Amino acid sequence: MPHYDPELPIPEHVAIIMDGNGRWAKGRGKIRNEGHREGAKSVEAVLEAAKAIGIRHLTLYAFSSENWKRPEDEVSGLMGLLSHFLKLKTPTLIKNDIRLKAIGAIDRLPPASRKQLDKSIADTAHCESLTCHIALSYGSREEIVRATQTLMQRAADGEMTPEELSVENFGDYLYTSEAPDPDLLVRTSGEFRISNFLLWQISYSEIHITDVLWPDFRHENLELAVADYQKRHRRYGGL
Ligand code: IPE
Ligand code: IPE
Ligand code: MG
């Protein structure tokens, strides 16, 4: 028996702030990068779970624009893990009909990681059961500024007037233009903050915060998050 009710609405888009890898490792006397390695197994489990539940879009916050500030060995460990994981798991993504996309300033990634990422994105382009949007070197403020720069340039070039910009079309200029706004935002490791993630897009997302550390977050935990979502009454400011 699943923890959620398959008869009730399933969130179309779930976004996850995958936090707590460092604390997981520390609690076991391991180095932080071992926490990231274990966290990669949770990514794999959650992708399968999301597909089984019927979620159509999953956005995973894997590396923020602020995470570049971390020590060099942790950053290079994470970038190496990304390439390794994608190379190893892309055949599984294809088998499971899961499409990979990336959001963020991916031009900042090291060339090897970027190359593997581009390859995995191309190799899964035909998959359609679930789209996994991986956020890499992602920062929401940076995303909003970049969109604004594009819009200002369009106005300066006479391609658009200021009045043509609206709440409805601003999202077209964000990295996330191809996905609906998240219905459910999950943060692991018990931190009650957004950390520069999808500031525009989560205006009306339901929020589920769990104390579970990301490396311990598996199939059942995603079902519990969906069950929590199913208890909410979304009003969007109405009655
Ligand atoms: C999340 O875990 C992974 C990344 C941000 C890359 P952390 O590395 O932030 O783990 P904690 O928060 O230190 O436990
Ligand atoms: C948010 O976690 C970023 C990712 C999960 C990739 P952080 O650990 O970087 O965020 P803070 O420092 O707790 O705000
Ligand atoms: Mg953290």
Side-chain angles (χ1 to χ4, degrees), residues 10-232:
I10 301 296
E12 185 182 359
H13 183 176
V14 177
I16 308 183
I17 302 173
M18 309 184 289
D19 198 16
N21 297 355
R23 278 162 282 169
W24 182 92
K26 194 170 180 206
R28 285 166 178 73
K30 297 174 189 275
I31 58 161
R32 293 180 57 85
N33 280 334
E34 288 195 46
H36 299 316
R37 266 200 292 279
E38 192 65 22
K41 295 183 194 163
S42 298
V43 170
E44 197 181 353
V46 163
L47 278 166
E48 282 193 17
K51 186 184 162 183
I53 293 169
I55 292 163
R56 298 304 310 272
H57 295 271
L58 184 69
T59 298
L60 299 176
Y61 202 7
F63 193 86
S64 76
S65 42
E66 289 74 28
N67 289 149
W68 292 112
K69 291 188 292 203
R70 294 194 180 189
E72 211 284 312
D73 66 328
E74 182 166 347
V75 171
S76 60
L78 279 163
M79 293 301 147
L81 179 65
L82 172 70
S83 318
H84 177 76
F85 179 83
L86 290 177
K87 189 165 183 198
L88 203 69
K89 299 297 172 192
T90 298
T92 314
L93 292 177
I94 296 167
K95 183 168 74 76
N96 291 336
D97 198 34
I98 299 173
R99 181 174 189 175
L100 183 74
K101 288 190 174 186
I103 61 170
I106 57 166
D107 51 318
R108 287 186 71 185
L109 301 184
S113 308
R114 173 106 193 258
K115 199 164 161 229
Q116 178 59 52
L117 180 66
D118 287 343
K119 182 168 167 20
S120 298
I121 290 171
D123 290 352
T124 60
H126 62 286
C127 299
E128 44 193 26
S129 293
L130 167 69
T131 302
C132 173
H133 308 262
I134 183 164
L136 291 164
S137 190
Y138 174 87
S140 189
R141 287 182 165 182
E142 184 263 347
E143 174 184 42
I144 290 169
V145 168
R146 181 179 163 276
T148 308
Q149 287 170 334
T150 303
L151 286 158
M152 290 175 80
Q153 191 61 54
R154 292 200 65 189
D157 293 345
E159 289 169 13
M160 190 175 174
T161 63
E163 295 72 29
E164 282 176 289
L165 181 64
S166 66
V167 168
E168 286 71 33
N169 67 20
F170 182 69
D172 297 345
Y173 296 87
L174 300 174
Y175 290 125
T176 49
S177 60
E178 286 156 58
D181 286 342
D183 301 291
L184 173 63
L185 173 72
V186 175
R187 184 163 186 150
T188 59
S189 85
E191 303 285 5
F192 282 67
R193 57 176 171 259
I194 301 299
S195 303
N196 203 13
F197 191 45
L198 305 175
L199 300 179
W200 171 271
Q201 298 90 336
I202 60 168
S203 293
Y204 272 103
S205 304
E206 297 298 326
I207 301 177
H208 172 85
I209 293 173
T210 170
D211 285 337
V212 174
L213 303 173
W214 178 251
D216 291 325
F217 192 96
R218 297 291 161 94
H219 195 120
E220 177 189 46
N221 305 92
L222 188 65
E223 287 193 359
L224 289 167
V226 170
D228 186 21
Y229 170 84
Q230 291 181 326
K231 289 189 208 126
R232 309 291 177 87

